[in-house]
Amino acid sequence: MEIKPQLIHILVQIPSTQTVKERRTLLSITGFDYLNTRISTLEQSNYVFFTELIELIFSEGQAQLLKFLSELVESEFVGLETRDKLNNFIAQIKALEPRQWNRECNEPKNNQTIGIVLTPNQSAEGLKKRQNITIVPSVAGTQAFEFTVVTINAQGQEIDRCQKQACYLTEELGNGVILEMVYIPGGEFWMGSSESKGKRYSNEKPQHLVTIQPFLISKYPITQTQWKQIACLSEVHQKLKLRPSRQGGNSHPVTQVSWFDAVEFCDRLSQKTGHKYRLPSEAEWEYACRAETMTPFNFGETINFNLANYDSRYPYHSEPKGIYREKTTEVGIFQIANSFGLFDMHGLVWEWCLDNWHQNYDKAPTNGDAWLDSDDNNTRVMRGGSWRNEAFWCRSSSRQFHHTSEKSNNIGFRIVRSL
């Protein structure tokens, strides 16, 4: 049992601890509000905040940790599933003898799930703060990478910039072509839109709590070079064009691919590597896109043309009008990721998901699986918006659908590897 990483993994899944106010309330109801002045990460991500909090509580001993967890279990902060996990955790901690407690809490572990990864000083790049907490998965071959995350306000102005880290592994596709797959830690999140009015949001309701298991997802949409490398492999269910896209270069996202084409790509890659590759479920896609945010975009209340490729002539909030690029751009060209380390989740190309289309989330699964029980098996979900769409359609919760055989110059995909 590795107490710290497992406990932090549970705590970061609590949805209602995203704001400074919510975190201060949590400290108050558990009787640990005296730590307010000692915690320097109240405004940072859940991972960073809970890591510092747990370190402080651990330093006060086993009894204090049990007190914190017991008070938390009795609060309204946790749902039934999280409460059961914490109660099980409490029982295990109570059973630890002093020697076991000291060994588990004070000795470093080689396979620890959450750890500190040191990175070069980049203050010269104007970074306002650093966040060095990295989720280290128990997947062979993963390594850490660093990326920049920004937050903007409703006027489209940058209000925060920081460095974060995540882990990824590299899949060799052949001829020097690689595929980078980013580790996404499991957790709970509120799927759908919180907007209370307007028919435009009707297919994003009801908002519902979903539990997601860890998975790997491609850092970028699949590129034309990656597509060509896999399209050369032996057919599994259907033929694939080597060059389906009519615009863009090697590092641009592949387009003009149907849902069936994307599934065939996954099948061929799975056959080549021995790992199970597939399209993401709609829930996995939104969870990965949000990256612990509850705002319309993972950048904040809006987006701007310096962060994504979309039709910025039509503002979402109070940001100035921007440009319309009229075509795809290279993946990752904006060099800004979300907090999970994923690029181009807003705009660029619509991304196919596994799910059948449903008009709303009534009776939607809450375990992160693809929703496949539909009378219409010929329409599938797309997410993320594209270069042709205004900002509204690029929101984290925005949904669209197309026929499984449909191909377009603004439809692509990214893929998931099951763990």
Side-chain angles (χ1 to χ4, degrees):
M1 177 182 182
E2 297 174 6
I3 295 178
K4 289 180 184 178
Q6 289 191 32
L7 179 55
I8 294 170
H9 181 71
I10 293 172
L11 295 177
V12 297
Q13 299 174 29
I14 301 175
S16 54
T17 56
Q18 302 293 324
T19 67
V20 173
K21 182 179 179 181
E22 290 172 335
R23 293 170 181 176
R24 292 191 190 280
T25 302
L26 180 145
L27 292 174
S28 177
I29 66 172
T30 55
F32 285 79
D33 47 349
Y34 63 89
L35 292 179
N36 270 310
T37 57
R38 297 172 58 190
I39 295 179
S40 61
T41 56
L42 279 169
E43 298 182 356
Q44 298 189 26
S45 74
N46 255 16
Y47 297 114
V48 179
F49 165 70
F50 276 117
T51 298
E52 183 180 21
L53 174 61
I54 292 305
E55 287 289 349
L56 289 172
I57 296 176
F58 267 63
S59 69
E60 297 185 354
Q62 187 174 1
Q64 285 293 87
L65 176 61
L66 288 171
K67 175 188 174 184
F68 172 77
L69 294 179
S70 298
E71 294 293 337
L72 184 58
V73 163
E74 297 300 321
S75 74
E76 297 180 354
F77 272 86
V78 297
L80 182 61
E81 183 175 351
T82 302
R83 182 173 288 113
D84 289 342
K85 291 179 181 178
L86 289 175
N87 277 326
N88 182 59
F89 214 85
I90 289 171
Q92 294 182 61
I93 294 173
K94 285 181 177 179
L96 289 177
E97 297 179 355
R99 181 179 301 178
Q100 292 175 304
W101 167 263
N102 290 333
R103 183 173 66 249
E104 290 287 346
C105 299
N106 298 323
E107 292 184 4
K109 304 288 182 177
N110 291 330
N111 59 344
Q112 199 163 309
T113 304
I114 296 181
I116 305 297
V117 181
L118 299 179
T119 56
N121 183 4
Q122 293 185 314
S123 58
E125 297 182 18
L127 302 177
K128 296 177 67 175
K129 58 177 178 280
R130 301 174 52 82
Q131 297 181 357
N132 293 327
I133 304 302
T134 301
I135 304 299
V136 183
S138 56
V139 181
T142 55
Q143 55 185 313
F145 71 101
E146 189 173 272
F147 50 90
T148 303
V149 177
V150 303
T151 303
I152 61 176
N153 59 20
Q155 289 71 47
Q157 300 166 334
E158 184 176 314
I159 58 175
D160 189 32
R161 176 176 290 250
C162 65
Q163 286 294 97
K164 293 191 178 183
Q165 293 184 344
C167 285
Y168 77 107
L169 60 77
T170 299
E171 195 77 81
E172 299 287 344
L173 303 185
N175 294 323
V177 180
I178 63 171
L179 173 65
E180 295 175 306
M181 301 293 295
V182 179
Y183 175 78
I184 306 299
E188 292 179 337
F189 82 112
W190 287 97
M191 183 176 181
S193 173
S194 60
E195 296 289 339
S196 58
K197 298 180 180 180
K199 290 184 178 180
R200 298 182 84 183
Y201 300 98
S202 62
N203 64 23
E204 303 168 18
K205 296 180 178 299
Q207 197 174 32
H208 54 293
L209 190 64
V210 179
T211 301
I212 301 291
Q213 299 302 315
F215 61 96
L216 296 165
I217 189 169
S218 49
K219 184 187 290 186
Y220 312 101
I222 297 300
T223 67
Q224 295 183 31
T225 294
Q226 292 166 337
W227 172 271
K228 181 179 178 181
Q229 197 62 37
I230 299 304
C232 290
L233 300 177
S234 300
E235 176 182 333
V236 176
H237 297 294
Q238 67 170 57
K239 294 181 180 179
L240 293 176
K241 290 183 178 181
L242 290 182
R243 297 179 179 86
S245 305
R246 298 172 186 170
Q247 63 177 10
N250 291 339
S251 297
H252 286 237
V254 67
T255 56
Q256 299 288 349
V257 290
S258 70
W259 183 86
F260 288 118
D261 292 336
V263 170
E264 175 70 12
F265 178 96
C266 295
D267 290 342
R268 294 190 189 188
L269 180 58
S270 298
Q271 183 172 269
K272 171 182 171 62
T273 63
H275 302 298
K276 177 58 179 176
Y277 283 94
R278 56 177 173 80
L279 294 176
S281 71
E282 186 177 13
E284 288 172 331
W285 192 98
E286 184 170 330
Y287 178 77
C289 177
R290 286 190 178 280
E292 297 190 290
T293 63
M294 298 291 288
T295 47
F297 305 88
N298 56 46
F299 300 119
E301 295 297 331
T302 190
I303 52 175
N304 63 45
F305 66 90
N306 292 313
L307 300 175
N309 182 358
Y310 68 105
D311 190 350
S312 60
R313 296 175 298 177
Y314 305 95
Y316 176 76
H317 211 295
S318 304
E319 73 277 13
K321 292 182 179 181
I323 61 175
Y324 177 40
R325 294 181 172 88
E326 301 184 351
K327 58 185 178 181
T328 63
T329 45
E330 292 184 355
V331 300
I333 194 170
F334 300 101
Q335 300 182 26
I336 303 295
N338 69 9
S339 291
F340 281 157
L342 302 179
F343 295 77
D344 303 313
M345 296 298 286
H346 299 300
L348 189 55
V349 289
W350 285 103
E351 300 181 9
W352 287 114
C353 293
L354 275 177
D355 306 56
N356 296 127
W357 172 255
H358 296 78
Q359 292 293 336
N360 53 49
Y361 288 135
D362 286 338
K363 300 180 181 179
T366 59
N367 61 355
D369 289 347
W371 194 7
L372 300 175
D373 59 335
S374 171
D375 294 333
D376 183 3
N377 198 40
N378 294 318
T379 55
R380 301 284 173 157
V381 173
M382 303 186 305
R383 286 304 206 107
S386 78
W387 59 269
R388 283 167 52 179
N389 300 108
E390 62 182 272
F392 175 86
W393 295 107
C394 302
R395 293 171 299 112
S396 299
S397 61
S398 179
R399 311 171 66 222
Q400 192 51 270
F401 66 93
H402 246 312
H403 193 277
T404 48
S405 299
E406 184 72 22
K407 301 178 182 182
S408 176
N409 62 0
N410 69 330
I411 300 177
F413 66 103
R414 72 179 72 214
I415 62 175
V416 159
R417 173 173 153 184
S418 302
L419 295 177

